[in-house]
Amino acid sequence: EHRNPEVFSSSRSQLQAPLSSGCPAKMTAEWGEKSSADLMSRYVSKEMGYGVPKEGWRICLAHEFKEKRKPFQAKDVSLSNVLEHIGLGIRYLKWWYKKTQVEKKAPFIDMFGAQPLRQIYGAPLGGIGGGTITRGWRGEFCRWQLNPGMYHYKTVTANQFTVCLRRGGQTVYQQVLSVERPPTLQGWNWGYCGEYAFYHALYPRAWTVYHLPGQNVTLTCRQISPVIPHDYQDSSLPVAVFVWDIENKNDYALDVSIMFTVVNGSGHKDDKNGGHWNEPFHLEKEGEAVSGVLLHHCTTVNPYTMCIAAREQPDREVSHQTAFSPKGTCSGLWSDLITDGRLDSPTGSSPPTPKGEKVAAALAVGCSVSAQSRNTLEFCLSWDMPKITFGSREREHIRRYSRYFGTKGDASPSLSHYALTHYRQWEKSIEEWQRPILQDRYSLPSWYKSALFNELYFVVDGGTVWTELPEDADVSGGVRSEDGGLPAQPAVVKEYGRFAYLEGQEYRMYNTYDVHFYASFALIMLWPKLALSVQYDIAGSVVHEDPTERMHLMSGRYSAVKAKNVVPHDIGDPDDEPWQRVNAYLIHDTADWKDLNLKFVLQVYRDFHLTQDSQYLRDMWPVCQAVMESELKFDLDGDGLIENSGYADQTYDGWTVTGPSAYCGGLWLASLCVMCKMARLVDNEETYQRYRDLLDRGSAAFDKLLWNGKYYNYDSSGRDLSNSVMSDQCAGHWFLRASGPHLCTSALKSVFDLNVMSFAGGQMGAVNGMRPEGVPDRSSVQSDEVWIGVVYGLAATMIHEGMKEEGMRTAEGCYRTVWERLGMAFQTPEAYCEKGIYRSLAYMRPLSVWAMQLALNTSEKGQTTSAQTGLMMNIKPTLMLYC
């Protein structure tokens, strides 16, 4: 009786070369330290601000990134690849024209409209699923996702913080806290000197420190968003708080005012549609009063109300300007503040804007700061869009936060009041969560702490939506539990809602499943109920079919949108009707992809392992059986191992693979292994024996066809490049956590030596494909790319295997390239090449950095993360994912 089926026979382990010992390639810290220091090299002040943490991503506001990269475009494809994909190019062009010019819709991937690289982004504002507003690291409000899943990239010039210093009743200094010198609003004092300020991000918080030249005053603006693990209420709120700590180093008192100006809108053309209006408000409850201005943005589709607010306290003066026009010199508002450090505070609402005009509002808060002391001012920004429609306008959806604040669209005052009276509790929760990692429990390097927390931005800023499950919804795909399907309304989805995030801000498909496989570690570790909710949605979609025929762009052939009993590629496009119409991706027919079904099975078992949710396992078991049955048809020769079909039929959708392959073969064997485990858990001995037999035969075939003594060949086609070293060859092992230690360690050693250390001086992570002779595999558009999310997963696998130093070095190359060299903070792309280009900014896959943390938790301490509490708990090795 085999209780622990081995995925790989150990019979060939003696083939491997002895592992080299000691420090791999003399890993020095110098290149990394210099890379971080460069970002702050132009900072001239000695002031380090108030309460700014040591760890995080820090950059001087005067920094300029030297390297400017271009997005991947058709012209970057080599001639041989152009000839191979000429049909795809022609079909895509026709489809793109029809979509953009006839239907007037945005294409799900726009090959002709890739976002140019703007090296400006900082931490986004807001909780999960209520829409996001991203601020740049220089303070600008510059990336907007208020309409669900749809981004636009406009810097709204008038959205600013301004400081006014007064001494003895006279204004001595008034400055917009912006390094810009825009052509508009010239009545304001622009051009703050960036060399006196720096930005520091440790998501979900960020700090900007401004030393005011010649004034002996330092301002620290702390930005807080309610993104709190295992919290499913406050984490959904569309709010952010700005706390200003003012340090007066003078021997005399100062009166200090901060003014917050905001335009009614987001820089979109609908800001000028007319009919928008502002009004002041005052809300008092539970002994706390808040006042500010409401900005009603009255569009026909997805209207919303923005709100700027402050707490009223005895020694603070709150004043406002309900409406001003953010064009021309705008000197009236400037003079209003400079006169007495406060604004006029008119009563009553502003008239609706005429067509073609914009309107803005201002809020000022002032306090006195004694000599050689400190004081604090607080602001809140919120936006209330409780009801949403996607691009098709067919259905109305209700955002998660409306469960607590109502659906009427009048929640802005309450949201602001709640945020201003609860943000300290949020910060306490955030600090408790981050402290064990920041305190370097496992001697973790600084770059890793920044990567781990700052990459989490995508959970919020991935076009994310979090909605209530409608009363009449049926997520089962129409097949009821008694027929081997799911409940119509699974308890976890009913209680915690539906969650969706984009493959990338430029690759506009929700819950792209082959990529979510990597990113899902962040959700299952931090918001496990959302991870399970996604799984129920996917499971329901598995049993559903959509027989509508459509042409797939790669092959030019027509086939069904969604076949039955296969995992969908994605759950839809936000410019259409997600959940209702799945598979927005139409480059390949993904019903024949080899990885999607397997990734579902592996996630089901991993999620059960981390949550111990037996109801979830019972609900998913029949769906796992169904997708494994569908997968079996890819084992054409009956040897227990699936074959790839001679095209790019998996997540590497531009890299052809033929016959048994390292990537899909490894995922298949890992899936057979967990099917054995789950069969035992549900007491199904017959099914256990069936998968056990497949596993025994499949692992023998895998070993025989792909193992070459050092690593697994890319595929077994016998083509010239079939023995390339694929960085992701151990993806199945990763999910199993080292089920074949000898062979896997040897393969990882080969990947480290070749894909990492023989590529770009060992300083850019792991290239996807490397030839055994040490040059990148350039046979496809993807084989010579580095995929950041794959590298973080590879690093996690190395850590699981006891190769912590190698794993850290591998991941460090990606972090430093993206965040320190290329200026891609808070927009980590899917891919970059060694030189020149990148592809698909702000991408889902790099959330896999959380897999590294899971690996550290389990390998360093023999512990695992309890998804119920996020705390460590001892667990017997027999319960681990070993096969």
Side-chain angles (χ1 to χ4, degrees):
E1 181 174 47
H2 305 279
R3 288 199 174 274
N4 292 316
E6 295 285 336
V7 167
F8 302 105
S9 65
S10 55
S11 58
R12 303 174 77 88
S13 59
Q14 56 267 44
L15 287 173
Q16 73 187 53
L19 295 180
S20 60
S21 58
C23 252
K26 192 65 192 139
M27 298 183 187
T28 66
E30 281 169 34
W31 67 283
E33 285 166 10
K34 183 181 180 306
S35 175
S36 294
D38 278 353
L39 299 183
M40 281 294 283
S41 62
R42 295 190 61 182
Y43 187 61
V44 297
S45 171
K46 299 278 184 286
E47 295 296 327
M48 297 319 287
Y50 179 79
V52 184
K54 178 173 161 281
E55 309 290 3
W57 180 72
R58 184 173 292 191
I59 184 167
C60 174
L61 266 58
H63 184 75
E64 289 284 341
F65 288 98
K66 294 181 191 73
E67 190 166 343
K68 312 283 183 194
R69 290 214 167 190
K70 296 269 193 296
F72 175 85
Q73 289 170 316
K75 65 179 175 54
D76 298 305
V77 182
S78 68
L79 185 59
S80 60
N81 276 312
V82 166
L83 295 173
E84 195 181 327
H85 294 122
I86 200 149
L88 167 68
I90 292 165
R91 286 185 288 272
Y92 177 84
L93 187 58
K94 284 182 177 170
W95 172 84
W96 182 90
Y97 182 84
K98 180 171 178 248
K99 181 63 87 176
T100 58
Q101 306 305 307
V102 181
E103 297 174 21
K104 303 292 185 200
K105 288 281 198 182
F108 72 96
I109 295 178
D110 192 343
M111 285 298 289
F112 302 112
Q115 281 300 314
L117 177 61
R118 297 170 75 205
Q119 297 164 315
I120 66 172
Y121 297 113
L125 306 172
I128 301 172
T132 39
I133 300 168
T134 301
R135 283 186 85 207
W137 48 268
R138 290 192 182 98
E140 60 273 65
F141 289 73
C142 51
R143 184 169 72 195
W144 304 79
Q145 187 255 144
L146 299 179
N147 275 324
M150 307 300 289
Y151 276 85
H152 76 112
Y153 303 86
K154 277 284 191 297
T155 297
V156 179
T157 309
N159 287 8
Q160 298 291 346
F161 287 101
T162 296
V163 62
C164 170
L165 305 183
R166 292 170 59 75
R167 181 184 177 195
Q170 293 293 312
T171 296
V172 293
Y173 179 87
Q174 188 163 299
Q175 172 73 48
V176 183
L177 294 169
S178 166
V179 298
E180 304 298 327
R181 295 178 182 274
T184 57
L185 305 174
Q186 294 197 338
W188 297 9
N189 184 26
W190 294 90
Y192 174 85
C193 180
E195 293 176 351
Y196 288 90
F198 70 88
Y199 176 83
H200 185 97
L202 186 65
Y203 189 75
R205 296 190 294 170
W207 293 255
T208 313
V209 175
Y210 303 90
H211 180 60
L212 305 183
Q215 304 304 315
N216 243 356
V217 170
T218 302
L219 308 175
T220 304
C221 176
R222 185 165 86 255
Q223 171 186 307
I224 305 141
S225 293
V227 181
I228 304 158
H230 308 285
D231 175 302
Y232 299 91
Q233 177 174 327
D234 291 5
S235 289
S236 71
L237 304 182
V239 296
V241 173
F242 302 96
V243 179
W244 288 84
D245 282 297
I246 303 148
E247 296 175 275
N248 178 10
K249 305 279 177 78
N250 293 295
D251 293 328
Y252 47 82
L254 286 169
D255 291 319
V256 181
S257 300
I258 305 268
M259 176 174 72
F260 187 16
T261 47
V262 172
V263 172
N264 185 330
S266 60
H268 194 268
K269 61 180 187 290
D270 68 21
D271 293 1
K272 291 184 172 181
N273 279 1
H276 310 313
W277 58 286
N278 302 344
E279 63 173 327
F281 80 93
H282 170 87
L283 175 65
E284 200 163 334
K285 65 178 177 188
E286 293 152 15
E288 293 278 2
V290 165
S291 61
V293 185
L294 303 172
L295 300 88
H296 301 291
H297 196 74
C298 305
T299 45
T300 46
V301 175
N302 297 339
Y304 60 91
T305 296
M306 285 170 84
C307 171
I308 47 177
R311 255 165 108 173
E312 292 189 4
Q313 291 164 291
D315 50 354
R316 303 281 185 282
E317 182 164 27
V318 181
S319 58
H320 69 269
Q321 184 52 262
T322 311
F324 70 92
S325 171
K327 67 177 188 182
T329 63
C330 225
S331 48
L333 182 73
W334 192 259
S335 306
D336 186 4
L337 184 67
I338 217 165
T339 308
D340 54 6
R342 60 186 305 284
L343 300 172
D344 275 351
S345 303
T347 55
S349 55
S350 69
T353 51
K355 199 168 173 53
E357 294 295 323
K358 296 184 185 183
V359 67
L363 186 69
V365 189
C367 67
S368 181
V369 190
S370 306
Q372 300 295 339
S373 72
R374 180 181 67 85
N375 212 339
T376 303
L377 299 172
E378 306 162 334
F379 291 85
C380 176
L381 174 67
S382 66
W383 50 99
D384 182 25
M385 184 198 282
K387 297 177 179 176
I388 51 171
T389 56
F390 291 107
S392 76
R393 315 273 175 262
E394 288 171 26
R395 292 166 175 240
E396 188 174 75
H397 301 263
I398 307 296
R399 293 205 201 253
R400 167 74 176 184
Y401 76 89
S402 66
R403 177 179 284 212
Y404 312 105
F405 286 89
T407 58
K408 292 181 181 157
D410 60 359
S412 291
S414 302
L415 278 165
S416 303
H417 188 284
Y418 187 84
L420 287 165
T421 54
H422 286 77
Y423 78 83
R424 285 191 180 87
Q425 186 56 51
W426 298 342
E427 289 195 284
K428 189 164 168 282
S429 301
I430 290 164
E431 283 164 7
E432 283 171 5
W433 157 49
Q434 295 184 338
R435 187 179 299 118
I437 292 160
L438 298 179
Q439 284 181 348
D440 222 358
R441 207 152 142 200
Y442 312 132
S443 59
L444 300 173
S446 285
W447 69 262
Y448 171 76
K449 295 167 188 176
S450 173
L452 187 69
F453 293 116
N454 285 324
E455 291 287 13
L456 261 187
Y457 85 95
F458 195 83
V459 169
V460 165
D461 209 6
T464 311
V465 287
W466 184 2
T467 63
E468 293 288 293
L469 186 66
E471 295 287 323
D472 60 346
D474 179 352
V475 306
S476 71
V479 181
R480 286 282 170 275
S481 305
E482 52 273 19
D483 306 320
L486 301 163
Q489 298 212 339
V492 70
V493 188
K494 206 170 165 60
E495 178 56 32
Y496 296 98
R498 276 184 145 168
F499 176 85
Y501 60 157
L502 296 175
E503 179 176 335
Q505 290 180 10
E506 297 190 86
Y507 283 15
R508 218 184 49 248
M509 295 155 278
Y510 272 136
N511 294 353
T512 297
Y513 201 72
D514 54 301
V515 182
H516 172 69
F517 173 74
Y518 297 80
S520 60
F521 282 87
L523 284 184
I524 196 63
M525 291 173 71
L526 302 173
W527 293 277
K529 303 298 187 189
L530 296 183
L532 299 190
S533 176
V534 168
Q535 287 289 85
Y536 275 102
D537 268 329
I538 294 292
S541 182
V542 164
V543 298
H544 180 72
E545 61 183 326
D546 179 352
T548 313
E549 294 268 317
R550 66 171 178 188
M551 183 174 70
H552 289 92
L553 298 174
M554 185 66 82
S555 65
R557 290 195 288 271
Y558 281 78
S559 52
V561 169
K562 169 70 176 67
K564 193 176 172 66
N565 289 344
V566 297
V567 170
H569 173 275
D570 58 84
I571 58 115
D573 176 354
D575 204 27
D576 183 32
E577 194 59 55
W579 292 299
Q580 187 71 10
R581 283 188 289 280
V582 303
N583 283 345
Y585 177 85
L586 44 72
I587 293 173
H588 293 285
D589 177 3
T590 59
D592 289 329
W593 273 19
K594 308 305 180 286
D595 59 341
L596 290 167
N597 298 327
L598 306 174
K599 287 171 173 177
F600 177 79
V601 172
L602 289 170
Q603 282 186 75
V604 166
Y605 185 72
R606 181 211 51 196
D607 297 349
F608 167 73
H609 170 70
L610 291 173
T611 63
Q612 295 295 302
D613 185 332
S614 51
Q615 181 61 50
Y616 167 72
L617 183 68
R618 283 196 299 276
D619 287 342
M620 295 294 147
W621 172 242
V623 185
C624 288
Q625 290 179 285
V627 299
M628 287 298 278
E629 283 306 311
S630 296
E631 194 75 12
L632 253 176
K633 69 175 182 287
F634 302 127
D635 177 11
L636 300 176
D637 56 5
D639 64 351
L641 187 62
I642 60 167
E643 285 92 33
N644 290 87
S645 302
Y647 70 100
D649 53 358
Q650 27 66 47
T651 196
Y652 296 87
D653 59 352
W655 194 359
T656 296
V657 57
T658 303
S661 68
Y663 184 68
C664 292
L667 292 171
W668 164 249
L669 295 179
S671 299
L672 291 173
C673 177
V674 300
M675 287 300 284
C676 289
K677 287 175 170 299
M678 290 191 283
R680 281 271 156 89
L681 287 163
V682 299
D683 288 329
N684 191 328
E685 189 59 27
E686 190 184 334
T687 304
Y688 168 83
Q689 289 300 342
R690 181 168 179 243
Y691 286 115
R692 172 72 238 197
D693 172 59
L694 278 168
L695 181 56
D696 287 345
R697 292 188 296 113
S699 51
F702 187 68
D703 201 4
K704 178 169 161 241
L705 294 166
L706 292 158
W707 181 247
N708 65 21
K710 288 188 175 176
Y711 60 89
Y712 296 102
N713 289 336
Y714 175 69
D715 67 19
S716 52
S717 64
R719 292 177 304 140
D720 287 351
L721 300 171
S722 67
N723 66 336
S724 282
V725 188
M726 187 191 201
S727 67
D728 211 4
Q729 63 186 270
C730 295
H733 287 280
W734 168 33
F735 261 68
L736 281 180
R737 281 242 344 282
S739 53
H742 299 296
L743 297 187
C744 196
T745 308
S746 172
L748 289 171
K749 178 75 177 63
S750 297
V751 168
F752 183 74
D753 289 345
L754 286 163
N755 302 57
V756 180
M757 298 311 290
S758 302
F759 174 73
Q763 294 185 3
M764 289 182 78
V767 68
N768 281 341
M770 182 64 100
R771 300 294 303 133
E773 58 272 21
V775 295
D777 178 336
R778 302 198 190 279
S779 64
S780 80
V781 292
Q782 292 173 342
S783 50
D784 66 344
E785 292 182 327
V786 175
W787 287 10
I788 297 93
V790 166
V791 172
Y792 288 150
L794 167 64
T797 316
M798 289 175 171
I799 294 165
H800 280 308
E801 288 283 0
M803 297 168 63
K804 180 183 168 187
E805 202 170 356
E806 291 90 335
M808 283 295 181
R809 172 63 184 252
T810 299
E812 181 179 4
C814 277
Y815 171 80
R816 296 205 185 277
T817 300
V818 168
W819 289 77
E820 296 178 345
R821 229 182 83 199
L822 301 184
M824 294 176 178
F826 298 100
Q827 54 179 334
T828 304
E830 158 74 316
Y832 55 73
C833 289
E834 185 173 1
K835 294 190 173 71
I837 57 172
Y838 63 85
R839 190 164 56 76
S840 188
L841 288 170
Y843 198 78
M844 177 199 285
R845 205 181 317 247
L847 283 170
S848 60
V849 69
W850 277 86
M852 292 178 66
Q853 188 57 33
L854 183 67
L856 289 163
N857 290 351
T858 52
S859 68
E860 297 273 350
K861 297 291 179 188
Q863 296 170 324
T864 190
T865 300
S866 159
Q868 282 82 6
T869 62
L871 301 172
M872 308 303 177
M873 62 182 226
N874 284 312
I875 195 155
K876 291 178 183 170
T878 50
L879 291 176
M880 292 301 202
L881 295 176
Y882 291 102
C883 220

